[in-house]
Amino acid sequence: MKRHLTLLFVAVAFAIGSIGTATAAGLITGKQIKDKSLQANDLLVRVATAQTDNDASNQVSGTSTLLKVKVNAPTKGYLVVTASSDVYAPTNPDYGNCWIQLGDKYALGSERSIRLVPTDNGEEDCNTNVVIPVAAGTRTVKFVSSQGGNLVFDETTLSAEFVPFNGQGKRPTGAEISGAVVVAKPVLKHSGN
């Protein structure tokens, strides 16, 4: 019961925070919610997270899925996705890329590229984030990397949060949903010395 109330208060705080503090005082407080009165569809915000403190990808040449989560979108809305990995080059220089995928489709604008040289900048974070309009349904969100085989993607996190509206309270249009992801994967940089 405490876990459900904690999740409820986090979701309510997020929803109130999303619409601004000027109107928040007149909307709802935790004291106004009767225990066990909310049903599954009453609370539309959904969150899925994953993390690893061990090597998500250890000197693997090519493309690797670092982490993935499933999140249920009970209606059309937006997935707010953030991902990060501590990347280091133990021995040789290399290029690395990270990006977010919705299913097997690249989330437009989410690719990040880094180059690591052990004697210069042997460790960096590959961070990315994206907001993806989605239709209702269960979605798999992936944090993906590519490299030439000389990098370690170590401590890694992925968070996907479904929100049923944008900052103005509008749901996405069909065109926004279909235009948010592309089938083609990003152009990958090649390993270099």
Side-chain angles (χ1 to χ4, degrees), residues 24-184:
L27 291 178
I28 193 169
T29 69
K31 292 180 181 180
Q32 295 169 309
I33 300 171
K34 185 176 178 181
D35 283 349
K36 300 181 183 179
S37 65
L38 292 176
Q39 301 300 313
N41 288 333
D42 292 336
L43 185 60
L44 294 178
V45 174
R46 305 284 198 266
V47 179
T49 62
Q51 74 174 46
T52 182
D53 292 331
N54 298 317
D55 300 344
S57 176
N58 189 342
Q59 297 178 299
V60 175
S61 183
T63 302
S64 298
T65 297
L66 301 174
L67 290 173
K68 66 181 176 179
V69 296
K70 286 189 177 189
V71 62
N72 179 41
T75 183
K76 65 181 180 175
Y78 298 88
L79 288 179
V80 180
V81 183
T82 58
S84 175
S85 186
D86 179 38
V87 184
Y88 65 93
T91 55
N92 297 311
D94 203 351
Y95 288 93
N97 300 296
C98 65
W99 64 90
I100 295 167
Q101 287 185 189
L102 183 61
D104 291 327
K105 297 180 180 179
Y106 165 66
L108 197 59
S110 67
E111 182 190 13
R112 304 294 182 261
S113 298
I114 57 176
R115 181 169 191 261
L116 298 176
V117 179
T119 57
D120 183 26
N121 66 326
E123 187 169 352
E124 289 188 25
D125 287 332
C126 199
N127 302 312
T128 186
N129 58 69
V130 67
V131 176
I132 309 168
V134 294
T138 301
R139 303 283 179 255
T140 300
V141 179
K142 298 177 185 177
F143 184 34
V144 181
S145 71
S146 70
Q147 60 159 315
N150 298 308
L151 301 180
V152 176
F153 285 76
D154 198 17
E155 293 94 1
T156 303
T157 63
L158 172 62
S159 173
E161 178 176 9
F162 171 79
V163 181
F165 50 84
N166 66 14
Q168 289 75 43
K170 296 180 182 175
R171 296 189 188 282
T173 65
E176 289 173 322
I177 292 170
S178 64
V181 292
V182 294
V183 175

